[in-house]
Amino acid sequence: MDTNKTGNHKQENQRDQVREQVINDYIENLRKYNGYTEKGKDNTIFGDHYGMQGQYWCDMYVDYVMEDSFGRRNAQKMLGGFSAGTELSKANYQKIGNWHDAKGYVPQKGDQIFFLNPTKDKSRTVNHTGVVIDVDLEKGIVYTIEGNTSAKPGDSNGTTVREKQYPLDKNTIKGYGTPDWDIEIDKRIQEIKKSSSVNEFSSKNKLQNLINGFKNDKDGTFTAKALVDNAEVVANFRNELQETLKQNQAQEVAQNTPQVQEERSYGGRSFG
């Protein structure tokens, strides 16, 4: 067996699992605000956080939850920067190489979705945004959560955070930005490795302490206490030992059966 390939495969599986958890955590945090409504014209906790009350806040909602999920510094890197404007957010994704035009692209959970809704400003390429929370390719539907929108299915302007859905080929969908998930994935994997190292070191210390205790146990009190404190470990060891003995006995019986049959045979006739 190629141990390098096996190790690489395990690492890939771990990255995939961590990636899924990172995105699910983000979507879960986005959903905490589902139904949130502004307190006056464009007055929100998102605008207050960025010192931009009274401004359109669909993009600020995305930045705010990204920051809350992964920390300000990492969130900025993952998005290519913060912005209250969708045009600049689109440019940020282009800057980090993670912008995708809608045509020919299959959106992924966690992608930031960008729309161009009817506007008199002909210079705009996008003017509303949200986040992809699911995709159904069979039905051809993308599911989103958006801020500064309406509860009405066809109304993109509004005062609330809502989950919505659209056909994948809806002409107002202009593209998607994929956050740089690797930044958070790498951070979490390092935390996992660090935690594993600490646990391994702690286990080795505990084992060494037990060995030293057994060596120095003069009256059996340490051994008695160790057995009580580690009752579950002792029970598991006994179960494993019994299972091993059963397997060994079964193998021994199987190996001896032909010999026994041969010994009981006489003149080509079996007395069994």
Side-chain angles (χ1 to χ4, degrees):
M1 181 182 293
D2 191 328
T3 55
N4 287 334
K5 287 184 178 180
T6 302
N8 290 338
H9 184 62
K10 287 181 178 179
Q11 289 177 359
E12 289 174 3
N13 285 343
Q14 184 186 47
R15 287 196 73 85
D16 289 342
Q17 291 171 2
V18 174
R19 178 188 177 88
E20 183 178 6
Q21 187 60 58
V22 166
I23 295 173
N24 286 341
D25 288 348
Y26 176 47
I27 291 174
E28 181 180 346
N29 287 337
L30 286 162
R31 279 178 157 156
K32 289 178 182 178
Y33 297 95
N34 191 27
Y36 173 86
T37 302
E38 63 185 35
K39 315 303 179 185
K41 180 60 177 171
D42 292 320
N43 283 335
T44 66
I45 57 173
F46 317 115
D48 181 62
H49 180 71
Y50 293 110
M52 301 187 73
Q53 289 287 36
Q55 304 295 319
Y56 293 129
W57 50 276
C58 58
D59 212 335
M60 286 189 280
Y61 162 61
V62 175
D63 291 354
Y64 181 93
V65 178
M66 180 67 75
E67 180 180 344
D68 186 47
S69 299
F70 309 118
R72 186 177 184 85
R73 184 177 179 183
N74 275 4
Q76 280 186 298
K77 290 180 180 179
M78 293 164 74
L79 296 172
F82 289 152
S83 170
T86 52
E87 289 284 1
L88 183 54
S89 285
K90 174 185 173 181
N92 285 337
Y93 281 116
Q94 290 173 326
K95 179 177 64 178
I96 63 175
N98 285 6
W99 170 260
H100 317 279
D101 289 328
K103 187 176 181 180
Y105 176 71
V106 178
Q108 306 295 311
K109 284 174 64 175
D111 279 354
Q112 189 168 346
I113 184 172
F114 290 83
F115 304 85
L116 179 60
N117 294 314
T119 176
K120 294 179 181 179
D121 186 351
K122 301 304 179 184
S123 67
R124 298 299 296 265
T125 61
V126 291
N127 59 9
H128 181 62
T129 191
V131 176
V132 176
I133 58 175
D134 206 355
V135 181
D136 190 329
L137 295 179
E138 286 188 10
K139 295 180 180 179
I141 295 175
V142 58
Y143 298 88
T144 68
I145 188 164
E146 305 161 33
N148 212 166
T149 192
S150 168
K152 298 177 182 178
D155 188 357
S156 60
N157 296 314
T159 61
T160 187
V161 176
R162 292 288 176 177
E163 293 189 22
K164 308 184 88 165
Q165 64 182 66
Y166 308 91
L168 280 166
D169 59 358
K170 185 174 177 62
N171 62 4
T172 57
I173 300 175
K174 296 304 177 184
Y176 301 87
T178 302
D180 188 352
W181 300 117
D182 284 340
I183 292 172
E184 180 65 19
I185 292 170
D186 289 342
K187 175 188 170 185
R188 293 197 184 187
I189 288 178
Q190 286 301 316
E191 290 172 350
I192 291 170
K193 288 180 178 178
K194 184 177 179 180
S195 176
S196 297
S197 297
V198 170
N199 290 337
E200 183 180 354
F201 179 75
S202 177
S203 297
K204 287 181 179 178
N205 276 353
K206 184 176 180 180
L207 178 60
Q208 189 59 53
N209 288 337
L210 283 172
I211 292 172
N212 292 337
F214 290 137
K215 285 181 178 179
N216 299 320
D217 188 12
K218 304 300 183 183
D219 58 3
T221 54
F222 179 86
T223 300
K225 185 176 185 303
L227 291 174
V228 172
D229 292 344
N230 298 275
E232 185 177 347
V233 175
V234 173
N236 289 338
F237 175 76
R238 284 175 177 167
N239 291 336
E240 289 179 9
L241 182 60
Q242 289 174 355
E243 185 63 30
T244 301
L245 289 173
K246 287 180 182 178
Q247 291 176 0
N248 290 341
Q249 289 172 353
Q251 289 177 355
E252 187 176 342
V253 169
Q255 290 172 353
N256 292 335
T257 297
Q259 181 180 350
V260 171
Q261 290 178 340
E262 184 178 346
E263 290 173 352
R264 296 175 65 184
S265 176
Y266 179 78
R269 184 162 58 92
S270 175
F271 289 88

